[in-house]
Amino acid sequence: MTGSTGEADPGARSDAPGTTEGPAQETAGGTAPLRAPAPGWRIDADVVVVGSGVAGLTAALRCAAAGLSTVVVTKARLDEGSTRWAQGGIAAALGEGDTPAQHLDDTLVAGAGLCDEEAVRTLVTEGPAAVRRLITTGARFDTDAGTGEIELTREGGHHRRRIAHAGGDATGAEISRALVEAVRDVRTSIRTVENALVLDLLKGADGAAAGVTLHVMGEGQHDGVGAVHAPAVVLATGGMGQVFSATTNPNVSTGDGVALALRAGAEISDLEFVQFHPTVLYLGADAQGQQPLISEAVRGEGAHLVDADGVRFMVGRHELAELAPRDIVAKAIMRRAAEQGAEPGTEHMYLDARHFGAEMWETRFPTILEACRSHGFDPVTGLLPVAPAAHYASGGVRTDLYGRTTVPGLYACGEVACTGVHGANRLASNSLLEGLVFSERIADHIAGQPG
Ligand code: SIN
């Protein structure tokens, strides 16, 4: 790997991103770079990671551990991506009697025949060790008080208890905390640039990635448009749920990584496979933006979906009933609501978990309990109105098993990537695992490149 002064070929800069004025134009390779002033500041590194969720920070930590000078740029603060909103957990064959082969089968079934089997095999085989490394990094998962073993729950599409969780229903927040702390640890010497919206990919004369341009908004060491020059660029920008009127995704999930990759001429695939989470708290027909998620783990622990007459409409529709894959449950909710006369836009059903009792709600699902109560619903005493909302982009920037995109030097991992593991429909809690496994593979691949 080269030193920390990698530079894009000046000959390629006449139309390089960030240097053009004027409206973006259609070109043979896609859409031209964004209109922006020339970069006013510059950082040089071996690797620039764009995004600071589980995928981005795992890639950065592993690159830094391999001795690569690493910069993380992120659109808001380090802990503001989608990862910290993940509730249910992280799926891996960790439990007694469970195997990667069973995890593979469940993933392929949920993916509706459109998964890349080799990618899924990689995910489920390397997953358990990747989770253990995450624990070594500092993430604390919930454990059984008696045995000390990691507690595992179930979610839709899983035939076994296979989901590790933390803080009850705050798994993403705990993973984010552990990774942010590790990155901020002075020993990792990772440079970070927060509040930096990525603009475009810089390319060298050979067409390979050479860095990114950014616009820093807000306070920080840098201001305005700048550039990080690096021969390896890792996109880990998350999803695009905010494109939809109602979503579980935070404000930052606006598809920036896919847009950058398209402008850079990278192959994108399966963008039509947007997963709708079946049980998001229904706050009315006009509710917009990020909505409160009611984790599938609530159904995994025994909550029932009922219609307006109190009937469990998933029973008899699928062998897993309420724990059928998400696309099936989401469609069943919409159909049943229509059958019961709901006006378009007002379709919702109800989640009944009153039988959990107050203590279980308070200890196992404290985050969800608080969110429901803050909107005037108490799941201890009443039903929760729930409806599907946009949740996860299964497609994205096409990659191979090392996270390589079709643009040399440009890698992608996490929700922005399309590794092929999700097919048409992601299996619950496979996304944190995908972020971990493939970001590690990317870091190892970059570190193994000749200098
Ligand atoms: C959930 O907790 O239901 C969401 C987990 C996921 O999307 O994998």
Side-chain angles (χ1 to χ4, degrees):
M1 178 52 62
T2 54
S4 59
T5 53
E7 181 159 6
D9 183 332
R13 300 296 303 283
S14 58
D15 65 349
T19 62
T20 50
E21 292 283 359
Q25 294 163 4
E26 289 298 317
T27 65
T31 303
L34 293 175
R35 181 181 175 182
W41 53 269
R42 168 182 180 140
I43 299 174
D44 291 278
D46 291 327
V47 187
V48 55
V49 177
V50 187
S52 58
V54 62
L57 295 188
T58 302
L61 285 164
R62 204 159 166 104
C63 285
L68 300 171
S69 82
T70 304
V71 176
V72 174
V73 297
T74 190
K75 189 171 164 182
R77 287 198 323 266
L78 274 188
D79 65 353
E80 274 188 68
S82 291
T83 292
R84 88 174 158 102
W85 294 96
Q87 295 178 347
I90 184 162
L94 295 163
E96 207 184 317
D98 198 4
T99 59
Q102 294 172 62
H103 190 181
L104 176 97
D105 286 346
D106 285 345
T107 302
L108 296 180
V109 169
L114 290 173
C115 297
D116 175 332
E117 188 164 337
E118 213 31 54
V120 179
R121 200 176 302 284
T122 303
L123 175 82
V124 298
T125 308
E126 298 183 8
V131 172
R132 289 193 193 97
R133 281 191 288 277
L134 180 62
I135 293 169
T136 309
T137 305
R140 293 187 288 261
F141 287 93
D142 296 334
T143 52
D144 182 278
T147 63
E149 297 291 321
I150 294 176
E151 267 182 3
L152 300 170
T153 189
R154 274 186 77 191
E155 290 188 54
H158 291 272
H159 282 82
R160 281 189 163 273
R161 286 188 166 261
R162 170 180 297 140
I163 323 292
H165 48 86
D169 56 4
T171 313
E174 169 57 15
I175 290 174
S176 180
R177 179 206 63 74
L179 292 173
V180 169
E181 263 180 33
V183 164
R184 290 208 169 117
D185 187 322
V186 285
R187 284 165 299 182
T188 65
S189 58
I190 293 171
R191 282 175 287 174
T192 58
V193 183
E194 295 179 303
N195 302 311
L197 172 67
V198 70
L199 299 174
D200 275 304
L201 188 72
L202 289 167
K203 282 185 175 178
D206 57 357
V212 287
T213 51
L214 301 146
H215 189 184
V216 174
M217 297 158 296
E219 290 179 16
Q221 285 170 289
H222 306 283
D223 198 14
V225 173
V228 180
H229 290 250
V233 175
V234 181
L235 281 184
T237 48
M240 57 179 80
Q242 289 285 334
V243 168
F244 294 83
S245 60
T247 177
T248 59
N249 295 185
N251 289 342
V252 291
S253 299
T254 50
D256 312 346
V258 167
L260 173 146
L262 272 172
R263 288 194 298 274
E267 192 181 314
I268 309 293
S269 55
D270 295 355
L271 276 194
E272 68 277 28
F273 296 140
V274 172
Q275 179 174 77
F276 279 64
H277 196 290
T279 55
V280 171
L281 192 62
Y282 176 74
L283 298 176
D286 297 332
Q288 289 207 332
Q290 188 179 14
Q291 308 295 308
L293 174 67
I294 312 295
S295 174
E296 208 155 70
V298 175
R299 279 173 281 138
E301 297 294 348
H304 302 146
L305 273 169
V306 295
D307 65 16
D309 298 327
V311 174
R312 282 183 67 188
F313 60 94
M314 283 308 300
V315 175
R317 286 201 190 213
H318 191 276
E319 49 139 353
L320 291 170
E322 280 91 348
L323 288 179
R326 287 181 181 168
D327 57 329
I328 292 169
V329 181
K331 279 184 251 180
I333 288 175
M334 298 302 279
R335 277 201 199 106
R336 188 73 195 117
E339 282 162 17
Q340 293 201 304
E343 293 292 325
T346 68
E347 296 94 339
H348 64 278
M349 290 280 119
Y350 298 90
L351 196 64
D352 188 354
R354 290 172 294 181
H355 52 287
F356 286 4
E359 195 188 329
M360 175 157 165
W361 268 108
E362 279 156 19
T363 53
R364 182 66 181 82
F365 299 113
T367 315
I368 299 171
L369 179 63
E370 193 189 322
C372 291
R373 285 182 171 161
S374 75
H375 287 284
F377 300 102
D378 192 339
V380 177
T381 54
L383 303 182
L384 295 176
V386 289
H391 182 59
Y392 193 86
S394 293
V397 187
R398 189 76 197 160
T399 69
D400 66 8
L401 294 181
Y402 301 97
R404 287 181 293 191
T405 72
T406 52
V407 173
L410 178 65
Y411 299 79
C413 52
E415 191 171 353
V416 70
C418 182
T419 60
V421 300
H422 304 311
N425 179 49
R426 178 178 62 95
L427 183 66
S429 286
N430 266 357
S431 46
L432 291 173
L433 191 71
E434 185 200 29
L436 267 186
V437 167
F438 286 92
S439 60
E440 290 192 347
R441 292 176 76 85
I442 287 173
D444 293 350
H445 189 270
I446 295 171
Q449 296 301 298

